[in-house]
Amino acid sequence: MKMAMRAALRCLSVNFSPRLPQLSSAAQVSATRLLCRSGAPRTLSTTSGQCTALKFTEKHEWVLVESGIGTVGISNYAQEALGDVVYCGLPEVGQKLEQLDECGALESVKAASELYSPLTGEVTAINTELAENPGLVNKSCYADGWLIKMTIERPEELDRLMDQPAYDKFIKSLEE
Amino acid sequence: MLGTFCVLSAGVQRAWSSSSCLFMDPSSPGLVLQSQSTDVFQNLALEDWIDAHVDLQQRSILLLWRNRPTVVIGRHQNPWAECNLPAMRSAQVPVARRRSGGGTVYHDLGNLNLTFFASKKAYDRRRNLKVVTDALRRVRPQLDIQATDRLDILLNGRYKISGTASRLSRKSSYHHCTLLHSADRSAIAVLLRPSCPGIRSNATPSIPSPVTNLTDHAPSLQWEELLEAVVQQYSSEFGLTSSSQCVDPADEALFPGVGSMEAELRGWQWTFGKTPKFSVETQLELRDERPAARCSAQLQLEVKNGRVESCRVEVPATWLPERLSASLAQALLGERFCPHRAAAALSALLRCESGPLHSRLRNLCDVLVAAMG
């Protein structure tokens, strides 16, 4: 079992945003959770410290926290609903955001969809790959298609977001 | 022409003391509004206001509006790449950036704008366009009118008479489209071309299409007839019990906060400052009069948030000492990418430099300013 896990994890790249192999969205999320368990092997040089499982907002954004920094992206449900993304309008590094602030828009053939900040904090990084390759949001919404990184000024906001099972339930209720 | 655009007279319109009267009629699942204003910023602000403040979960709204001559660019477009800003300045045609996606369009009083507001769940652009195509087919059955996969509306399978764009926000959506009744097509050709050469950008591009007016093919189609047809078709499609209402988008009592929305849309920060990062690379042709001489120089600029982030001016050292072209480039850093700002920044430099190089320096400044659209 250990060998299988190491093999699976070896596929993941060593930088902070892991490149996940082609997995279904559920498996993608489980793999990320594997990555974040404190027992991750040293071949994976992630920054030290705990990270939490994915949390979700009602606007279909996800947040993954590691060492006090939250990486934000949109869920598979959202990217499917959006259609092919042609432009990512993101906030600036250094921009201070309140939870639910409009902080940009993703433009697809379907519409310009407003992005809302999932948390209160300051933007520390934006995914510059998306300028040349906005389709990453569709192809790899939980990994290479991440949108921004931000500080977490109010951890209690994070606690109030949905975990994976709650989000899955939420999606089901929307589809009815 | 403006007066005929409103169904109600101004006196009746004042009966609406607050927006809650206007928007809360439970017996009316569909509501049609006509804007009294022909100011693009007021009209765009009204769209934003309705999107932000009206509960669209149980109802839908159609807003009909038109603007005085204006160029409207999409959310993530580059105005310098999309339109001829110097020509527009001369003609006093403003540029506006809307919040929806899509490409650049020219508006004037011969173009009808339709905005379909609905909940995100009820967002259905095809259904909305069917209102337009069905209305047109009803009033002029001889016209060949079709909506395409891209959600344009074409006449005779070739000419675009309508383009579409939309915005999805927290709970609601709007889908707006143009409809060419009798617009000035020659203005389109002149104004919808780049302001300056050499722009490289990943902003969303426009897809140019041949356009035509409805009145070019159905000369008897009156503006009022077109509006009436669209309103009737919307009523039958979406359910409507009251007639359309005239609204003043500048009415702060009716739409509290709309004034500041308008100010934001009108401002430089939204219109130009929101432009995705781009670069300009172009050759400059320099000349001297006494003695007559010429030379080519290279300009390379990076523009971020509408301001010059980096600038390189490569002029042969035999033409101008490098220290001068370097200080010119330096003077532009941080300035808005704008010929007036550039001219002001450079004139300070020009004042410091007298002597034989002055005319060459002045020529370089003029050429640089001209390259900035």
Side-chain angles (χ1 to χ4, degrees), chain B residues 208-238:
Chain B
S209 313
V211 295
T212 195
N213 284 307
L214 283 165
T215 51
D216 291 339
H217 304 261
S220 62
L221 180 64
Q222 297 298 309
W223 180 265
E224 293 75 18
E225 196 187 346
L226 177 62
L227 253 64
E228 198 49 52
V230 162
V231 172
Q232 262 191 47
Q233 199 63 39
Y234 184 80
S235 307
S236 66
E237 180 69 40
F238 285 88

Side-chain angles (χ1 to χ4, degrees), chain A residues 59 82 86-89 92 100-102 104-107 109-114 116 130-132 173-174 176, chain B residues 74-77 99-103 120-121 123 125 166-171 202-204 275-277 304-305:
Chain A
K59 306 276 165 298
L82 261 182
V86 301
Y87 192 86
C88 300
E92 300 284 313
L100 298 183
D101 270 357
E102 271 177 15
L106 296 181
E107 187 171 339
V109 290
K110 201 167 186 183
S113 289
E114 295 294 339
Y116 298 93
L130 297 177
E132 297 283 319
S173 74
L174 293 176
E176 273 142 26
Chain B
R75 176 79 174 257
H76 299 121
Q77 292 205 295
R99 293 199 195 274
S100 55
K120 269 167 105 159
K121 261 201 169 130
Y123 178 66
R125 292 171 300 168
S166 19
R167 179 182 182 229
L168 299 174
S169 51
R170 264 182 255 272
K171 291 207 183 95
N202 66 346
T204 54
T275 307
K277 186 170 175 174
K304 189 178 174 201
N305 298 334

Side-chain angles (χ1 to χ4, degrees), chain A residues 14-77:
Chain A
V14 297
N15 60 26
F16 176 58
S17 294
R19 188 188 309 278
L20 294 165
Q22 287 287 51
L23 298 173
S24 69
S25 63
Q28 272 184 346
V29 174
S30 311
T32 315
R33 246 190 243 130
L34 275 178
L35 171 67
C36 292
R37 252 180 227 140
S38 47
R42 247 167 275 251
T43 49
L44 221 59
S45 57
T46 55
T47 53
S48 66
Q50 306 269 352
C51 62
T52 62
L54 284 185
K55 287 300 208 66
F56 294 84
T57 70
E58 285 185 358
K59 306 276 165 298
H60 310 286
E61 291 130 1
W62 56 261
V63 187
L64 181 67
V65 181
E66 194 175 39
S67 307
I69 299 288
T71 304
V72 180
I74 62 167
S75 71
N76 189 55
Y77 178 90

